[in-house]
Amino acid sequence: MQHSMIMEHVTFGVCYYPEHWPETLWRSDLERMRAAGITVIRVAEFAWNLFEPREGAFTFDFFDRFLALVSTFPEIRVIFCTPTATPPAWLTEKYPEVLNADLDGRPFSHGMRRHYNYNAPVWREKSRLIASKLGEHYGTHPSIIGWQIDNELNCETDVFYAQADHDAFRVWLQQRYGTLDALNEAWGNVVWNQSYTDWSQVHLSRPAAGRAGFNPHMRLDEKRFFSDSAISYCRLQHDALREHVPADRFITTNGTFGHLDYKALVGQGVDFLCYDSYPNFGAGMIEGPSGEMADRKWSWNLANVRAFSPLFGVMEQQSGANGWVMRMAARAPLPGQLRLWTFQSLAHGADFISWFRWRTATFGTEIYWHGILDYDNRDNRKLREATRTIADAAKLPGLAGLQVQAKVAVLRDYDNLWDGEDDLWHGPMRRAGEAAWFEALQTTHTPYDIVYLDDGTLAADLARYDLVVYPHATILSPARAAVLEAYVADGGRLLLGARSGYKDSRGQCPMEPAPGPIAGLCGATVLEGSMVTPADTPSHAEWDGVRLDTPLWNDVIDPDPGAGTRVLAWYAAGRFEGTPALTERAVGAGHVHLFGAGFAADAARALLAGFGAASPYRALLELPAGCELAVRGQGADRLFFVLNYGEETTVILKKLFTDRLTEEKKIGETRVDRFGVRVLSLNAKEGMV
Ligand code: GAL
């Protein structure tokens, strides 16, 4: 990764919009930022008209003036953005083909943001040109340390149905399949007479009689295409910038949204990824059956970003109440939460934090999306809390670059994420399962990673994990099954959930027993299965007297005794009572388990405990469920982050720790304030434990 200075030590910034404020305010803003310890500002992501107010008439006066002032603040550096998230009105009016359209083919009108599509040739050229012009003009500016491409690719919408997208999809399919015969075969087009005889007949989704009946194989390719389109668009801008931007300045983009394979994006289109973290969304938007963990749901999202960028930045960290002009969606952070959420990001691997935004907008759509300062521009408690947070982080000089530690991983892959979107069972079951594992990992203080399998994943990438959970990999290619097999043979423990391995990478169901290419490794096949609905007798299984709930789906597993497969748990109720629900097979130095059901939090906790993977740090410290534990670094560098999402509480330190924020030595019962944070280290000798 190219880091430049922002990642060499933990660095703090703000999102700033000089175009929203009188120029007379710029200097005092920069002075107040400097006083608080803010040393990076992100600018220009929506400012196209300031660079090209009329087609081809480029001017840089505005940001030249702003950057000239910034240059007089040697401590303050700039992340400059390409402004393509909001194409100007002159552009969309003259070239309406750049606008995105909905599935019904209705083009978006100008306005809001991200109203463009990625494939219109004129839009790609206009985007390349503005990126190139900005790179040329500002590429070597001494105040600029890095670049952000666009803003939040695939936010607002992650589907694209403009004419240019239909056209580009055809080209994409021709490259993928070569012939119409191959396409017809891959999409199973003989069904319902969908076979194409000419490429002109092929489209992305369009209005049909009943939207539940889209061709599933086409829909999967459609999402792959959306993702490839976004990546190619980002790459176009990256390459245009790189022609002018020296290699010691990074190029990134921000956010994680749907239908975009960020693992492919990182490395192809950006040097590393930045996330936009608004934890208060979690309080009102709870996924999964349990409704638990909303207070820290963003930890899962941060682990997800880390899957793409082991070290990353947070380009937008929530600092105030959230809302747009038509809604006030999230409440104001309570005292302590701005600091807590910032440390949540640091604990999960962020080395750069930029709060959104320096000051709340006084006009426009985002007048209710509060930043650090409010409309009145007075110093306030949020600024004091941000200042304190920066001072705290300065006490952790070795933090940047330390790897987040985890021995458990939850696997994901884009084929399954996307294939599960259209149905009412696979997608919801995956989400519920992930929520269950999140809750179990959180409440047992078991640090975890999320890992995305792709065609480049090697068994070595998984080797650091004692337990790998792949909840519902319905699509599983032989190549990925082979990677999992090698991981197990080398000593790993793999747990697969219901409906594994019955589809190939086209989303078709080959005529072979599930779990398909991984059945041999499991030493078991699935005889039959069924959804478990509220109308069914609730089903559960028992493992050595411990109850494992088996919601949503039940597979009947048929273990092959000849392969040495053991049944660990049997369904004790429900439709398939008395049949195997959980198996184990020892393979090489490791183990593989097939579980026939969806995952609930209690079952995930029991499985974690049963596999000896729960609470790896219990010999060092004991925490209540309201606190999260995250660990960065190894040996004597290791830092333990204790994040308290609730009221004042007590943790028990079983060894002598140093509190790195207060320099106090601590052992035994130790208080953690409401929304408090402790960053602890062991002395060098115990650090090796
Ligand atoms: C983000 C976006 C910002 C700002 C913020 C608050 O999604 O990147 O530009 O709009 O949300 O709404």
Side-chain angles (χ1 to χ4, degrees):
M1 269 199 301
Q2 282 161 314
H3 278 178
S4 118
M5 58 161 278
I6 74 157
M7 300 294 182
E8 279 163 18
H9 53 84
V10 169
T11 306
F12 290 88
V14 284
C15 304
Y16 188 60
Y17 299 90
E19 67 274 27
H20 294 183
W21 309 109
E23 283 195 38
T24 48
L25 211 54
W26 291 353
R27 178 178 294 281
S28 72
D29 280 342
L30 293 168
E31 282 166 354
R32 291 167 82 193
M33 288 174 200
R34 178 171 62 190
I38 289 163
T39 57
V40 175
I41 50 180
R42 182 197 64 171
V43 298
E45 74 273 24
F46 304 119
W48 192 320
N49 271 322
L50 294 174
F51 305 112
E52 195 184 5
R54 288 183 317 285
E55 184 171 12
F58 290 95
T59 161
F60 303 97
D61 293 353
F62 182 88
F63 275 96
D64 283 356
R65 284 203 304 286
F66 179 68
L67 289 175
L69 179 64
V70 174
S71 305
T72 66
F73 290 76
E75 313 80 354
I76 296 191
R77 293 282 190 274
V78 172
I79 298 175
F80 212 89
C81 303
T82 64
T84 46
T86 48
W90 60 255
L91 196 155
T92 55
E93 188 189 49
K94 180 166 177 193
Y95 305 106
E97 64 270 38
V98 311
L99 291 166
N100 191 8
D102 66 14
L103 187 143
D104 292 315
R106 280 188 307 254
F108 292 1
S109 340
H110 183 86
M112 255 296 282
R113 345 183 253 196
R114 311 211 57 72
H115 37 287
Y116 67 84
N117 67 73
Y118 294 120
N119 285 304
V122 65
W123 171 246
R124 292 177 67 89
E125 176 48 24
K126 292 289 177 199
S127 302
R128 192 201 60 73
L129 190 62
I130 189 84
S132 172
K133 290 280 184 192
L134 290 175
E136 192 179 9
H137 191 79
Y138 292 120
T140 55
H141 194 289
S143 292
I144 296 178
I145 48 165
W147 291 75
Q148 175 185 303
I149 290 175
D150 202 288
N151 188 72
E152 296 193 331
L153 298 165
N154 284 14
C155 181
E156 267 88 36
T157 181
D158 59 7
V159 291
F160 303 86
Y161 298 110
Q163 186 56 48
D165 298 310
H166 288 280
D167 295 344
F169 187 43
R170 259 169 238 131
V171 176
W172 186 90
L173 291 169
Q174 280 161 357
Q175 281 162 3
R176 188 176 178 87
Y177 294 109
T179 64
L180 269 181
D181 283 349
L183 175 76
N184 283 328
E185 217 258 281
W187 287 5
N189 280 340
V190 67
V191 174
W192 290 356
N193 207 35
Q194 287 173 350
S195 299
Y196 300 117
T197 53
D198 192 284
W199 283 100
S200 62
Q201 299 156 3
V202 181
H203 290 89
L204 296 158
S205 301
R206 291 187 297 175
R211 289 194 178 177
F214 287 125
N215 180 317
H217 319 295
M218 182 277 275
R219 293 282 282 179
L220 181 55
D221 270 346
E222 175 173 299
K223 288 160 192 171
R224 291 170 173 150
F225 164 75
F226 292 153
S227 177
D228 282 359
S229 297
I231 293 168
S232 128
Y233 179 72
C234 186
R235 167 121 213 192
L236 175 89
Q237 292 204 28
H238 173 274
D239 292 352
L241 284 174
R242 255 303 163 236
E243 271 184 37
H244 309 286
V245 172
D248 63 351
R249 298 166 200 214
F250 61 83
I251 299 178
T252 184
T253 191
N254 58 328
T256 50
F257 297 93
H259 302 164
L260 209 171
D261 177 343
Y262 285 91
K263 202 169 171 197
L265 180 80
V266 175
Q268 276 192 55
V270 291
D271 300 324
F272 58 88
L273 195 62
C274 287
Y275 182 59
D276 295 343
S277 186
Y278 292 96
N280 228 350
F281 273 143
M285 301 165 80
I286 298 161
E287 283 183 49
S290 66
E292 300 296 324
M293 303 285 116
D295 57 355
R296 74 197 73 168
K297 186 167 172 293
W298 256 231
S299 291
W300 176 264
N301 296 358
L302 290 160
N304 191 53
V305 186
R306 196 167 69 232
F308 312 121
S309 249
L311 301 172
F312 58 93
V314 174
M315 197 61 92
E316 299 179 15
Q317 176 77 53
Q318 180 177 352
S319 65
N322 295 171
W324 277 4
V325 70
M326 55 294 197
R327 62 185 159 91
M328 193 78 197
R331 294 158 291 172
L334 290 161
Q337 283 186 320
L338 181 154
R339 176 171 175 270
L340 171 67
W341 294 337
T342 303
F343 270 94
Q344 181 185 28
S345 295
L346 296 175
H348 278 277
D351 283 345
F352 166 61
I353 306 283
S354 158
W355 285 292
F356 187 89
R357 50 187 277 167
W358 170 242
R359 185 170 40 242
T360 313
T362 56
F363 46 75
T365 306
E366 295 204 315
I367 47 176
Y368 302 140
W369 201 290
H370 288 258
I372 296 178
L373 300 180
D374 293 313
Y375 313 124
D376 63 18
N377 198 29
R378 289 185 290 183
D379 285 358
N380 60 16
R381 73 161 169 99
K382 290 180 285 183
L383 182 60
R384 283 190 292 279
E385 201 171 312
T387 309
R388 177 186 171 204
T389 306
I390 295 171
D392 279 343
K395 296 173 190 157
L396 307 170
L399 175 58
L402 293 184
Q403 196 185 29
V404 173
Q405 302 299 308
K407 289 284 181 195
V408 177
V410 177
L411 298 192
R412 282 181 147 188
D413 68 89
Y414 280 106
D415 282 347
N416 280 296
L417 287 180
W418 296 338
D419 192 56
E421 275 183 349
D422 277 346
D423 64 59
L424 293 175
W425 69 272
H426 177 207
M429 184 160 78
R430 177 195 57 80
R431 284 197 294 280
E434 289 182 353
W437 279 98
F438 177 57
E439 186 182 327
L441 292 160
Q442 278 289 334
T443 51
T444 58
H445 306 111
T446 307
Y448 57 89
D449 279 338
I450 296 171
V451 174
Y452 281 72
L453 284 192
D454 65 13
D455 291 343
T457 307
L458 303 172
D461 300 326
L462 303 177
R464 76 173 78 112
Y465 303 109
D466 295 339
L467 171 67
V468 154
V469 184
Y470 203 1
H472 306 292
T474 65
I475 293 181
L476 191 57
S477 69
R480 288 184 197 175
V483 169
L484 295 171
E485 183 157 358
Y487 158 74
V488 170
D490 286 351
R493 188 182 290 272
L494 170 68
L495 171 64
L496 300 159
R499 294 297 261 166
S500 293
Y502 77 95
K503 284 184 173 179
D504 65 20
S505 40
R506 303 170 301 180
Q508 297 195 12
C509 308
M511 281 194 280
E512 60 185 25
I518 209 157
L521 177 67
C522 294
T525 57
V526 172
L527 293 178
E528 62 171 311
S530 171
M531 273 187 83
V532 179
T533 72
D536 285 300
T537 310
S539 98
H540 70 272
E542 264 168 33
W543 180 16
D544 283 345
V546 177
R547 180 190 169 103
L548 302 177
D549 281 327
T550 50
L552 302 174
W553 187 278
N554 286 174
D555 275 335
V556 176
I557 303 173
D558 183 24
D560 174 3
T565 310
R566 291 198 304 138
V567 177
L568 297 185
W570 307 78
Y571 291 107
R575 185 183 288 254
F576 299 124
E577 187 176 342
T579 66
L582 173 68
T583 60
E584 174 179 77
R585 181 168 178 247
V587 180
H591 297 85
V592 58
H593 301 273
L594 190 58
F595 184 58
F599 292 103
D602 283 345
R605 258 187 295 269
L607 291 162
L608 267 181
F611 299 150
S615 316
Y617 298 105
R618 61 186 176 278
L620 300 177
L621 67 183
E622 228 174 75
L623 288 84
C627 287
E628 176 172 15
L629 175 67
V631 181
R632 284 185 72 174
Q634 287 180 311
D637 290 334
R638 189 165 53 167
L639 294 174
F640 297 84
F641 291 78
V642 176
L643 307 164
N644 180 17
Y645 295 95
E647 299 301 325
E648 178 181 319
T649 189
T650 303
V651 299
I652 300 169
L653 306 181
K654 298 180 173 172
K655 301 268 179 193
L656 184 64
F657 281 88
T658 302
D659 182 323
R660 300 293 298 275
L661 302 182
T662 64
E663 284 309 320
E664 294 163 295
K665 301 278 182 210
K666 298 266 179 200
I667 190 164
E669 290 200 358
T670 303
R671 190 173 53 80
V672 189
D673 294 337
R674 180 189 202 215
F675 304 136
V677 172
R678 288 207 183 261
V679 185
L680 304 163
S681 60
L682 289 163
N683 71 37
K685 196 168 127 268
E686 281 167 340
M688 303 315 287
V689 171

